[in-house]
Amino acid sequence: MQVFHHVASLREALKAARRDGKTIGFVPTMGNLHDAHIELVKRAQTMCDVVVVSIFVNRLQFGLNEDWDKYPRTMEQDMARLRGANCDFLFHPDESEIYPNGMDLQTKVICPAMTDVLCGASRPGHFEGVTTVVAKLFNIVQPDKAIFGIKDFQQLAVIRRMVEDLCIPVEIVAAPVHREDDGLAMSSRNGYLTEEERPKVAILNQTLNWARGEIENGRRDFAALEAESKSRIESAGFRVDYFSICNSRDLQPAAHDDREITLLGAMYTSAARLIDNVSLSM
């Protein structure tokens, strides 16, 4: 695996790969890699000749009082995992490489659609940070395909819209949620869970699946179903951020005749905010 810290040297290496007719796959991450990240790398390897993984903890997408300072940074373990997965290129820039003029003066990419609801309502400015850094990374790597996990469904939808609106020539590939045995979606923030909380947090995924089953069985009283779902999660001892039944494409509240529906939920533990989602076709 070749490791790059600078944009110019990574571009030179990728230019050589393209001259040889190779396709480029890209997996952007913030590090603290787990099995779900490695699954994204493996998926990219099945679709492209060369795979680039980036590790950059993007301060621009963290809000006030969020966990940027304590976000886990595990570079040695991450590099070992990527080498074990036969990753080709690792791009690990420092902040000055990504924001050479400083973040206060950084040109920002704003996607007005779908960013002020769900996670966007709870984390003002978060998606502006995500779209800005992802647009920059796409311009740096210029991949043929970029692979994102469905666990961050709103992020995936926002990035798809950004790519469409800005005519960025990259195919966005969605990878299934990678889960623990009890259904908990893998996340770097799962490490914040206490021993007491860990057996209980599966309630989020269980409730999403219960609500999906209710819809599949014909229920269309979505507001009531959202309220019942929130009560289930609260009864397990967690504070609900949101539980929403949405149109899968634009994340607006689902209509009774929508054909593609996604149920999204977020809840707070003592030190973490967990998100998950499930989808269905009518």
Side-chain angles (χ1 to χ4, degrees):
M1 182 176 69
Q2 299 181 50
V3 181
F4 299 88
H5 298 296
H6 300 287
V7 171
S9 54
L10 175 64
R11 281 178 167 164
E12 283 301 313
L14 291 174
K15 187 185 299 183
R18 290 190 188 89
R19 278 199 303 266
D20 293 338
K22 294 180 178 178
T23 54
I24 310 298
F26 180 42
V27 180
T29 83
M30 292 205 302
N32 192 224
L33 304 183
H34 46 68
D35 288 350
H37 293 112
I38 302 305
E39 287 299 315
L40 299 181
V41 174
K42 291 179 179 177
R43 180 171 289 258
Q45 289 169 333
T46 67
M47 308 175 78
C48 297
D49 301 311
V50 173
V51 174
V52 181
V53 173
S54 65
I55 294 179
F56 178 65
V57 184
N58 178 38
R59 186 154 54 101
L60 196 61
Q61 70 191 65
F62 287 78
L64 291 174
N65 303 315
E66 290 195 337
D67 59 345
W68 184 81
D69 287 332
K70 68 175 183 176
Y71 190 87
R73 293 157 172 86
T74 54
M75 183 52 60
E76 289 188 11
Q77 298 95 309
D78 292 348
M79 290 179 68
R81 275 184 168 270
L82 291 172
R83 288 192 179 100
N86 297 315
C87 177
D88 300 296
F89 295 160
L90 168 62
F91 180 47
H92 177 47
D94 63 23
E95 192 170 278
S96 63
E97 189 74 10
I98 297 297
Y99 300 115
N101 297 308
M103 289 198 301
D104 290 342
L105 300 178
Q106 169 63 41
T107 299
K108 294 181 174 66
V109 177
I110 299 172
C111 181
M114 303 179 289
T115 55
D116 58 354
V117 297
L118 305 172
C119 288
S122 304
R123 306 180 67 188
H126 167 68
F127 285 112
E128 181 178 302
V130 170
T131 48
T132 297
V133 78
V134 171
K136 290 172 73 73
L137 290 169
F138 283 171
N139 283 331
I140 292 166
V141 178
Q142 298 179 19
D144 298 284
K145 301 179 189 294
I147 294 80
F148 292 85
I150 292 178
K151 180 181 80 73
D152 295 307
F153 190 90
Q154 185 176 11
Q155 173 180 275
L156 175 66
V158 168
I159 289 171
R160 280 174 164 160
R161 178 65 63 87
M162 178 190 75
V163 165
E164 180 180 7
D165 287 351
L166 298 184
C167 305
I168 300 175
V170 58
E171 178 185 347
I172 303 301
V173 178
V177 181
H178 202 67
R179 300 186 180 277
E180 305 284 1
D181 291 342
D182 63 355
L184 177 66
M186 287 191 177
S187 169
S188 296
R189 291 184 171 92
N190 289 352
Y192 297 162
L193 299 173
T194 67
E195 290 185 9
E196 181 181 358
E197 290 170 337
R198 181 60 189 83
K200 302 176 183 178
V201 291
I203 187 64
L204 179 57
N205 181 249
Q206 291 166 1
T207 302
L208 286 163
N209 282 307
W210 170 79
R212 176 173 62 182
E214 292 292 294
I215 295 172
E216 289 173 336
N217 288 331
R219 284 192 66 175
R220 293 295 182 272
D221 52 339
F222 294 147
L225 194 53
E226 289 172 349
E228 290 174 36
S229 298
K230 291 176 184 177
S231 295
R232 283 173 170 253
I233 296 169
E234 289 167 350
S235 296
F238 299 106
R239 180 165 64 92
V240 177
D241 183 0
Y242 62 79
F243 192 102
S244 301
I245 301 171
C246 300
N247 177 290
S248 297
R249 176 169 171 76
D250 60 16
L251 300 184
Q252 294 300 305
H256 289 192
D257 57 353
D258 277 342
R259 306 295 297 173
E260 301 292 331
I261 291 176
T262 298
L263 297 81
L264 303 98
M267 71 180 194
Y268 293 98
T269 69
S270 61
R273 179 177 174 278
L274 304 182
I275 63 173
D276 202 350
N277 66 86
V278 297
S279 296
L280 68 155
S281 299
M282 305 295 289

